[in-house]
Amino acid sequence: MSRKVTDKVVDNRPRHVQTIIVGSGFAGLGMAIRLRQQGREDFLVLERGSDVGGTWRDNTYPGAACDVPSHLYSYSFALNPDWSRSFSKQGEIQAYIRKVAEQNNVLDKHLFDCDVLSMRWNAETARWDITTSKGDFTAETVVSAVGALCEPSLPDIKGINDFEGEIFHSARWDHDVELAGKRVAVIGTGASAIQIVPAIAGKVAHLDLYQRTAPWLLPRMDRPYFLPERLAFKYIPGVQRLSRAAIYAARETQVVGLAKYPALMKIFETISRAKLLAEVRDPVKRAKVTPNYRIGCKRMLISNEYYPAIDRDNVEVVTDGIAEVKAGSIVTKDGTEREIDALIVATGFHVTDSPAFETITGRTGQTLSEQFDEVGQRGYKGSAIENFPNMFFLLGPNVGLGHTSMVYMIESQINYVADALATIDKKKLKTVEVSPEAVRVYNAELQDKMADSVWMNGGCASWYLDKHGNNTTLWPDFTFQFRRLTKNFDVAAYNTTTTTDSDTKLKAVAAQ
Ligand code: N01
């Protein structure tokens, strides 16, 4: 994807800061708050959207809600006793993130509508040169917090650009389009689609759901909180922390089956099959939506409305594979043509091939995407990548989860990066760059753990894997192990230069 400088607004912010954070979703915002808590002032958050929230700001499709309980899916330093239900909807989560930003006084550090176009390491100045839609910046350290689910992935289907009806991606929902009474197609049956389909199936005249791989579904234990519960969360010390701990522990037990003993996942398969039998009456449809791989290999989804929605008479599940999209229809590989007025593309995100990787150029002159292409997408503790000095990543390689709260992982990484910045100051380091040996050892151990997991052995193709066949997306262990690993910045794993070292080298180069 090529990006253009469209809006060179001159802003009165400083053009050089010590630290630039890119992105202000849960990760970037949490980092900004921590920097303020550390007493730092010399930083800036560059955010391409016009508000905080990241993926929760962008995904406004009907039915959007979290599939991790809210008491866990929130910052540990900003618990919210007012969650209205166990699994909150998008609007409530976005309002929570916004409120946390306001309460922690970091909005003044944000530059919104600022699209980062390129970041290039400058070895002479030992700084990052950053070009944005609002002009150029330099920084001694960068924290990339752009997230994995930010760049919608559009399917490469013949003719899709020639479709003449309404068409949009699930993460860019067009609320001006009225779907009521229309013939609608949805492509994809992932976490987004299974929320969209029940939300629109009762309104549209007809819905064609194009499924490539059937997802596994489990019950969604969602309910509104009663007033006495909310009062207890608010006023009785420890109740909310206890509830959070119980949710955390229950979710963590899934790691045993997912990462260590996939045979245990049969328990979940039994629950899911029973659900399928009870909720899809039509045997033809039931056969179509029965998965043919081990549960957990792709993200397990939770919904009580999806199966009843596809069981409706006005919903057809199409599994023949799309051959072509025409001006007003979709043609499947068996030659059937189905006319539609609107097309919703719920095909996920560029995770292992994010366009953002093309815009970051490291010490060797290679972009992140070129390096990943050659050696695979690997990092160190999800937070640093070799050849990219003074750059830290939140939600970098192998920190993803399918079963519990990403906010927990994000906070672990924030601890690590905050300690890294403190170490840089304390030791007067000019550059820190993770050593190739540390990366090699770390990834060898990580992929060793991954080898037994259901993600590698469950018989599915998923976006967790990169083009080399490695799972570069998920963390293959208990999340408390990751918390332990990231408690302190382990400077010994990094090649460093001090101010004096690099100045001396620069002088030597200049003298040659
Ligand atoms: O995307 P996905 P998503 N032709 O990549 C299909 C988070 N999330 O937006 O399985 C036809 O999961 C693809 O088929 P297949 C969560 O982390 C969280 O739904 O690859 N079909 C799949 O069915 C989640 O994991 C929440 O065979 C094509 C679907 O499109 C992540 O976001 C809610 C296709 C894509 O599914 C992404 O979820 C929503 C093609 N060319 C999202 N290309 C909650 O917390 C792709 N597909 C609730």
Side-chain angles (χ1 to χ4, degrees), residues 55-56 59 61 63-68 73 87-88 93 149 153-157 169-171 186-196 210-215 220 293 298-302 321-322 345-349 351 401-402 406 461-464:
T55 192
W56 290 105
N59 281 269
Y61 59 76
C66 191
D67 53 13
V68 175
Y73 196 83
F87 292 82
S88 300
I93 298 171
L149 305 175
S153 164
L154 298 168
D156 185 15
I157 297 173
H169 189 275
S170 54
V186 173
I187 303 180
T189 51
S192 302
I194 66 127
Q195 296 186 329
I196 293 167
Y210 288 86
Q211 172 191 279
R212 195 164 65 177
T213 313
R220 187 177 177 87
Y293 55 92
K298 292 166 98 78
R299 189 185 170 100
M300 293 184 282
L301 306 181
I302 53 169
I322 301 172
V345 184
T347 46
F349 300 87
V351 177
L401 304 168
M406 279 309 298
S462 79
W463 55 259
Y464 294 153

Side-chain angles (χ1 to χ4, degrees), residues 56-213:
W56 290 105
R57 178 201 59 219
D58 291 343
N59 281 269
T60 61
Y61 59 76
C66 191
D67 53 13
V68 175
S70 296
H71 283 298
L72 183 59
Y73 196 83
S74 36
Y75 293 114
S76 62
F77 60 85
L79 297 191
N80 174 20
D82 298 321
W83 291 119
S84 64
R85 53 189 314 117
S86 40
F87 292 82
S88 300
K89 296 196 157 78
Q90 176 267 338
E92 196 171 351
I93 298 171
Q94 176 60 14
Y96 163 80
I97 298 172
R98 176 81 201 178
K99 192 169 158 195
V100 172
E102 284 165 8
Q103 285 176 337
N104 286 277
N105 298 319
V106 288
L107 288 172
D108 62 327
K109 289 290 178 190
H110 282 67
L111 189 52
F112 289 111
D113 302 309
C114 178
D115 199 358
V116 173
L117 305 168
S118 75
M119 295 196 273
R120 178 175 281 275
W121 175 249
N122 185 330
E124 278 188 25
T125 57
R127 289 176 174 180
W128 282 94
D129 294 335
I130 300 160
T131 308
T132 82
S133 58
K134 291 201 167 177
D136 296 340
F137 295 85
T138 55
E140 277 135 64
T141 48
V142 167
V143 182
S144 169
V146 298
L149 305 175
C150 61
E151 298 286 353
S153 164
L154 298 168
D156 185 15
I157 297 173
K158 185 179 166 201
I160 197 162
N161 293 328
D162 302 326
F163 182 66
E164 287 176 2
E166 308 288 358
I167 176 169
F168 48 87
H169 189 275
S170 54
R172 301 286 181 268
W173 195 271
D174 187 342
H175 291 275
D176 292 335
V177 174
E178 182 51 79
L179 295 176
K182 296 222 169 97
R183 293 163 306 175
V184 178
V186 173
I187 303 180
T189 51
S192 302
I194 66 127
Q195 296 186 329
I196 293 167
V197 167
I200 64 170
K203 289 185 201 157
V204 301
H206 183 83
L207 177 61
D208 291 322
L209 176 59
Y210 288 86
Q211 172 191 279
R212 195 164 65 177
T213 313

Side-chain angles (χ1 to χ4, degrees), residues 447-464:
Q447 291 303 334
D448 198 40
K449 278 187 185 161
M450 194 74 80
D452 290 334
S453 72
V454 70
W455 309 303
M456 304 304 287
N457 304 294
C460 72
S462 79
W463 55 259
Y464 294 153

Side-chain angles (χ1 to χ4, degrees), residues 203-252:
K203 289 185 201 157
V204 301
H206 183 83
L207 177 61
D208 291 322
L209 176 59
Y210 288 86
Q211 172 191 279
R212 195 164 65 177
T213 313
W216 282 102
L217 250 71
L218 290 167
R220 187 177 177 87
M221 310 293 199
D222 187 20
R223 65 173 181 84
Y225 284 122
F226 303 115
L227 184 62
E229 288 175 292
R230 290 164 67 174
L231 292 175
F233 289 140
K234 200 165 197 159
Y235 295 113
I236 304 179
V239 168
Q240 198 179 2
R241 292 259 170 217
L242 203 64
S243 159
R244 182 176 162 97
I247 299 166
Y248 174 77
R251 296 240 150 195
E252 209 63 9

Side-chain angles (χ1 to χ4, degrees), residues 432-455:
V432 291
E433 183 185 330
V434 68
S435 77
E437 182 59 7
V439 174
R440 191 190 61 72
V441 172
Y442 178 80
N443 281 277
E445 283 174 12
L446 189 136
Q447 291 303 334
D448 198 40
K449 278 187 185 161
M450 194 74 80
D452 290 334
S453 72
V454 70
W455 309 303

